Amino acid sequence: MSKLIYLDNAATTKVSEQVFEAMKPFFTEYYGNPSSVYSFADECGKAVDEARDQIAKTIGADKNEIYFTAGGSESDNWALKATAEAYSNKGKHIITSKIEHHAILHTCQYLEKQGFDVTYLDVQENGEISIDDLKAAIRPDTILISIMAANNEIGTIEPIKDIGAVARENGILFHTDAVQAFGHIPLDVDSMNIDMLSASAHKINGPKGIGFLYIRKGIRSGSFIHGGAQERRRRAGTHNVPGIVGLGKAAELAAVSMKERAEYEEKIRDHIISRILDEIPYVRLNGDAKKRLPNNVNVCFRFIEGESMLMLLDQNGVCASSGSACTSGSLDPSHVLLAIGLPHEIAHGSLRLTLSTDTTMENADFVVDKLKGIIERLRSMSPLYEDFVKKQGK
Amino acid sequence: MYSEKVMDHFNNPRNVGEIEDASGVGTVGNAKCGDIMRIYLDIDDNGIIKEAKFKTFGCGAAVATSSMATELVKGKTIQEALEITNKAVMEALDGLPPVKVHCSLLAEEAIHAALWDYAQKNNIEIEGLEPPVSDISEHEEEENY
């Protein structure tokens, strides 16, 4: 196998050296429980506090509004379930979109079973929700709007500021799943009127199993995990100190490097996209050409299926992902690709490449070069392509 | 996730291609679900399968099961070919992950569909052969790219 080219940074990222170094002392040296009384645990308590502050600064929040969780999915579950419960006397209507992560969609389905009413907004072809649709969906009993900051598959950045403004005007809470956006694009909870925000460390070169939920001061949201006084009595459980330190460091580093990193990644992203569109026939770009995450490439190749493509890329040392049914473990391709209007068979041929600052232009060219051969090979054995060519010949 | 045999048949698929004026062609599966298999058979006057080729749109397991199925039917009589079950295809590949078992069923169906086409063309009845159920007509409508 040739050397590894990791282009699945939306799935997870490498822990950076600086983050790893920051975490290390909290495994074997400062292993105390921050909730303990003795001075040995002080160092741990201070570290947790500092991380909270580091994170809060990156989104314009107060440190007391940051609640540590075990990751993005927990944050999403918490934001929806506990808030819906706390505000159920005001109303039982929630608005979200069809392209949310399953941590949102499945939680909404759960809430529907509990008697809540959920509107799933359609998205436009580029993956953006329409503000007019949002306004039209608002009812007197709407208590919560939950729209992701950026989509994990097609990279589309949602009009968060406009959504926040609509929510505020109507006195509705606004939660955003920012798991893919946090540390990648600027987010400011005040100017964007964000009331709750979910994020995760492992998408920004931090460790797995740690994330946070921002909850604006004054919002009623019940305890999600019961059993202790941690996190202002809202989330019990001994603090994952090394994880929290890692998240704080990763958030700080991501904020500092954001602009430069985005410029670097965008250059490679746009190079890959334009080479694929120019050099491979019967292909389309999914998502928006401009309003997309700096590190996201998502394309569909017609007449071929995603898993085969991933297996052949893997043989060339390239890690990528696809929204095909085979990779989702069901018979349906990605709900996001279907929501932007793609027919099933085209959605099956999707490829997502998500870059990092480790990705070089040379890597990008290598992948596109390999991809050309892979697509040609799979099409040469595709009955759909055979039918298409015969039809063209007529 | 896949056995070495599956990987071998995915990486070096046997019998990829078409047969011009094939004795029988069977296409099964559905682009909506992400798998379509087409098997071509060349059957001689004695009812022996001389050649088998395939084209497949699908995952790694779909390619490997098509490849193995065409290998298994070559040189067989029609009756022998009919007896090749999805289990036989799976066993020959040293097994498939549970979520991929349907690929082997598709391979069995594709052989049956090709034999059905042969029977139709020659106006003969093959004992124990049912008309194929799958069709791929759905994908025809959605070619507005």
Side-chain angles (χ1 to χ4, degrees):
Chain A
M1 183 131 98
S2 32
K3 87 175 183 328
L4 187 82
I5 301 179
Y6 184 78
L7 297 180
D8 204 14
N9 287 282
T12 195
T13 58
K14 179 172 85 177
V15 173
S16 74
E17 277 302 324
Q18 285 156 287
V19 168
F20 187 44
E21 287 303 324
M23 291 172 71
K24 266 182 180 170
F26 294 92
F27 284 105
T28 52
E29 204 175 330
Y30 305 114
Y31 55 83
N33 188 329
S35 306
S36 302
V37 175
Y38 38 78
S39 53
F40 169 59
D42 285 355
E43 208 53 50
C44 303
K46 264 190 235 156
V48 169
D49 206 46
E50 196 194 321
R52 212 185 293 282
D53 199 40
Q54 283 172 315
I55 295 159
K57 280 193 178 123
T58 67
I59 56 169
D62 185 83
K63 68 177 180 179
N64 290 326
E65 296 172 312
I66 304 297
Y67 297 84
F68 293 113
T69 66
S73 293
E74 185 191 320
S75 299
D76 284 344
N77 271 261
W78 180 1
L80 297 188
K81 283 188 196 169
T83 312
E85 204 173 72
Y87 286 84
S88 61
N89 57 349
K90 189 195 162 204
K92 290 205 155 192
H93 182 233
I94 297 166
I95 301 171
T96 186
S97 83
K98 287 188 175 163
I99 63 164
E100 299 297 310
H101 189 274
H102 286 123
I104 294 290
L105 293 177
H106 289 174
T107 307
C108 283
Q109 285 162 17
Y110 165 82
L111 287 169
E112 282 178 299
K113 284 190 198 136
Q114 307 301 311
F116 287 87
D117 202 6
V118 182
T119 299
Y120 301 89
L121 295 177
D122 284 321
V123 295
Q124 303 165 72
E125 206 211 334
N126 67 353
E128 251 188 300
I129 68 142
S130 134
I131 294 295
D132 288 340
D133 287 357
L134 173 67
K135 286 178 180 164
I138 292 173
R139 311 192 315 210
D141 62 337
T142 307
I143 51 170
L144 178 65
I145 294 169
S146 180
I147 303 286
M148 66 202 329
N151 184 267
N152 49 312
E153 290 187 38
I154 57 174
T156 300
I157 297 170
E158 296 295 336
I160 290 304
K161 197 171 177 179
D162 299 341
I163 298 167
V166 171
R168 188 54 56 96
E169 275 163 35
N170 289 276
I172 300 167
L173 296 179
F174 174 38
H175 165 254
T176 188
D177 170 358
V179 170
Q180 290 292 335
F182 177 69
H184 291 276
I185 56 169
L187 292 168
D188 181 80
V189 291
D190 283 341
S191 68
M192 294 175 166
N193 285 312
I194 296 167
D195 295 311
M196 288 178 284
L197 178 148
S198 303
S200 179
H202 77 104
K203 310 287 191 189
I204 54 165
N205 303 104
K208 292 162 184 66
I210 186 79
F212 71 90
L213 177 64
Y214 156 78
I215 307 177
R216 182 178 291 282
K217 197 176 167 221
I219 286 176
R220 298 200 306 271
S221 182
S223 173
F224 189 60
I225 306 264
H226 305 275
Q230 291 92 350
E231 301 304 282
R232 304 162 71 81
R233 298 189 179 278
R234 280 176 155 174
R235 202 278 188 187
T238 300
H239 286 110
N240 170 1
V241 180
I244 288 168
V245 168
L247 167 56
K249 190 75 190 168
E252 186 184 73
L253 292 170
V256 170
S257 68
M258 188 184 294
K259 195 165 170 277
E260 202 183 339
R261 179 161 36 99
E263 276 167 18
Y264 177 82
E265 288 172 348
E266 274 169 9
K267 213 166 93 189
I268 299 176
R269 174 195 75 185
D270 293 342
H271 177 73
I272 295 178
I273 292 173
S274 68
R275 271 202 67 194
I276 288 177
L277 296 183
D278 288 349
E279 297 174 35
I280 303 179
Y282 314 117
V283 58
R284 58 159 284 150
L285 174 69
N286 299 318
D288 196 280
K290 294 266 169 262
K291 285 178 256 180
R292 73 186 303 135
L293 289 172
N295 72 341
N296 176 291
V297 176
N298 191 310
V299 288
C300 276
F301 300 100
R302 239 177 119 185
F303 316 117
I304 64 161
E305 193 277 335
E307 190 200 90
S308 300
M309 183 167 38
L310 296 188
M311 287 169 69
L312 293 171
L313 281 170
D314 183 35
Q315 282 164 19
N316 291 288
V318 179
C319 306
S321 83
S322 166
S324 81
C326 279
T327 54
S328 73
S330 77
L331 281 182
D332 280 321
S334 135
H335 65 285
V336 176
L337 298 177
L338 297 180
I340 60 169
L342 296 187
H344 277 68
E345 66 273 23
I346 291 174
H348 283 300
S350 80
L351 175 70
R352 181 186 73 179
L353 306 172
T354 41
L355 325 173
S356 75
T357 45
D358 285 345
T359 315
T360 63
M361 218 31 127
E362 197 188 348
N363 293 155
D365 281 324
F366 174 84
V367 172
V368 178
D369 290 344
K370 288 291 171 196
L371 206 48
K372 286 164 77 175
I374 289 168
I375 302 300
E376 204 178 296
R377 171 176 168 181
L378 290 173
R379 279 184 180 156
S380 76
M381 53 195 289
S382 165
L384 291 177
Y385 189 60
E386 179 189 319
D387 292 348
F388 176 78
V389 170
K390 280 181 183 157
K391 224 169 162 183
Q392 298 284 96
K394 267 180 201 163
Chain B
M1 134 187 198
Y2 289 128
S3 72
E4 270 177 41
K5 276 246 176 81
V6 172
M7 289 309 292
D8 176 36
H9 277 262
F10 172 73
N11 288 326
N12 312 292
R14 281 59 148 182
N15 314 311
V16 177
E18 300 164 48
I19 298 177
E20 293 239 0
D21 304 316
S23 317
V25 185
T27 306
V28 297
N30 182 322
K32 258 186 126 161
C33 305
D35 292 301
I36 295 178
M37 272 182 207
R38 178 171 294 161
I39 288 187
Y40 298 82
L41 297 177
D42 182 22
I43 302 171
D44 71 8
D45 296 341
N46 302 318
I48 306 284
I49 298 168
K50 287 304 210 196
E51 190 64 77
K53 295 264 186 202
F54 81 91
K55 285 212 171 172
T56 288
F57 163 88
C59 61
V63 171
T65 52
S66 322
S67 166
M68 184 53 88
T70 50
E71 281 289 273
L72 292 176
V73 297
K74 273 202 286 188
K76 298 281 198 314
T77 66
I78 289 166
Q79 271 311 319
E80 284 167 342
L82 256 185
E83 283 160 22
I84 296 170
T85 61
N86 78 300
K87 249 182 118 180
V89 175
M90 277 207 293
E91 274 163 20
L93 287 168
D94 292 340
L96 285 175
V99 292
K100 301 292 185 180
V101 171
H102 73 276
C103 294
S104 63
L105 281 164
L106 220 51
E108 179 188 317
E109 272 179 49
I111 298 170
H112 290 188
L115 290 172
W116 180 262
D117 182 50
Y118 166 75
Q120 293 283 298
K121 278 180 183 160
N122 293 281
N123 221 352
I124 54 169
E125 206 170 296
I126 300 174
E127 210 190 309
L129 184 64
E130 305 273 327
V133 282
S134 314
D135 71 85
I136 55 160
S137 55
E138 283 171 272
H139 83 273
E140 299 282 337
E141 300 151 22
E142 297 178 295
E143 286 194 350
N144 51 344
Y145 207 70

